[in-house]
């Protein structure tokens, strides 16, 4: 595995590795890697000859009062995990390499960035769309892999790739969970033991709604109410919404199309997000706990 910090060097390494028509897969991350990230790496390796992982805590997607300065970092551990996972190139640039002085150009992701997290984190998806398009230009992958854990991010990136004619196939990997159901996240690191236990309310709420959905319930109100019961115990529920899985607009009152049940909640001072798909045939998804 090569570890690279400069864009020029990255381009050279990828050009070399790509020779002979090799397919390049790309997994963008903010580091502090866990099994969720590694599932993305495996998905890339299934489809591609070489896999590039980036680790970059992107300042432009954090709001002024968010956790940029304390975001968990452990580069030596991440580097070893990538090495052991047979990653071809690990790209870990400094902020100045990605955002040189006088940087001014942003990608505006439009409507998909407005509801859910976008409402509570203004500018977040503008930062995401900007850094993802910059990383796409640096790596020029054939395939890029994202986690369903960040459902709205997947929607924004898919739209961006279509709207900007980027020749990149976007692959989405189902959310990887701890055995008790908690969605893996670098931010779980912030939780005390007691908070970690209480954080389970989020996935339990989502699973309870899925169970009802699988039993035939299609009324959005009912499904939301069931999830809400569990989420009552979080410290602050930022949102719990049932949205159309494609448009992210509020779901129909009686579901006929795939919908996503999305939640953001504070446990102590830690903001966690999670979501689950409600779609006929969903029970086949490996993401559903037994
Ligand atoms: P992050 O480092 O949190 O920005 O995440 C980098 C990529 O990993 C994004 O595409 C996330 O959606 C994905 N990811 C994060 N957590 C999980 C998880 N538990 N399961 C699957 N993918 C994940």
């Amino acid at each position: 595995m090569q570890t690279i910090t400069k864009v020029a060097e990255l381009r050279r390494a990828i050009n070399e590795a790509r020779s002979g028509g090799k397919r390049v897969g790309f997994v963008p991350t903010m580091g502090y890697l866990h099994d969720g990230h590694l599932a993305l790496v495996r998905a890339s390796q299934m489809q591609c000859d070489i896999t590039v992982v980036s680790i970059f805590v992107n300042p432009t997607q954090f709001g002024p009062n968010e956790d940029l300065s304390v975001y968990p970092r452990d580069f030596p551990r991440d580097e070893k995990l990538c090495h052991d996972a047979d990653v071809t190139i690990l790209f870990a640039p400094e902020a100045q390499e990605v955002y040189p002085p006088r940087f001014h150009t942003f990608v505006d992701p439009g409507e998909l960035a407005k509801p859910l997290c976008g409402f509570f984190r203004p500018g977040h998806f503008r930062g995401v769309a900007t850094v993802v398009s910059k990383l796409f230009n640096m790596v020029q992958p054939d395939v890029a892999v994202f986690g369903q854990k960040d459902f709205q991010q997947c929607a924004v990136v898919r739209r961006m790739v279509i709207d900007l004619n980027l020749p990149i196939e976007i692959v989405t990997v189902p959310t990887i969970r701890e055995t008790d159901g908690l969605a893996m996240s670098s931010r779980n690191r912030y939780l005390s033991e007691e908070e970690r236990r209480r954080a389970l309310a989020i996935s339990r709420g989502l699973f309870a709604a899925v169970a009802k959905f699988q039993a035939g319930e299609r009324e959005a109100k009912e499904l939301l109410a069931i999830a809400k019961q569990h989420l009552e115990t979080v410290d602050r529920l930022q949102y719990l919404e049932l949205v159309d899985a494609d448009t992210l607009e509020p779901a129909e009152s009686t579901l006929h199309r795939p919908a996503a049940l999305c939640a953001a909640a504070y446990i102590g001072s830690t903001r966690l997000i999670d979501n689950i798909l409600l779609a006929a045939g969903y029970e086949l998804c490996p993401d559903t706990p037994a």
Side-chain angles (χ1 to χ4, degrees), residues 55-66:
I55 294 183
F56 180 61
V57 182
N58 173 37
T60 64
Q61 70 189 68
F62 287 79
N65 299 316
E66 294 184 347

Side-chain angles (χ1 to χ4, degrees), residues 185-250:
S185 163
S186 306
R187 288 188 169 101
N188 292 349
R189 159 75 199 259
Y190 298 144
L191 301 170
S192 69
E193 227 173 90
E194 181 267 335
E195 288 173 335
R196 166 72 181 71
R197 269 194 302 277
R198 287 196 294 117
L200 283 180
I202 305 172
S203 51
R204 286 197 178 136
L206 302 182
F207 297 156
V210 168
K212 271 282 175 197
F213 178 83
Q214 286 174 348
E217 180 62 74
R218 292 293 181 272
E219 293 305 307
K221 245 198 193 148
E222 294 302 318
L223 293 163
L224 280 164
I226 287 151
K228 188 95 188 274
Q229 280 171 12
H230 290 264
L231 283 152
E232 229 108 71
T233 58
V234 303
D235 293 311
R236 180 151 60 94
L237 182 59
Q238 196 170 57
Y239 65 75
L240 173 68
E241 286 185 46
L242 194 51
V243 296
D244 183 280
D246 290 325
T247 64
L248 306 190
E249 286 168 6

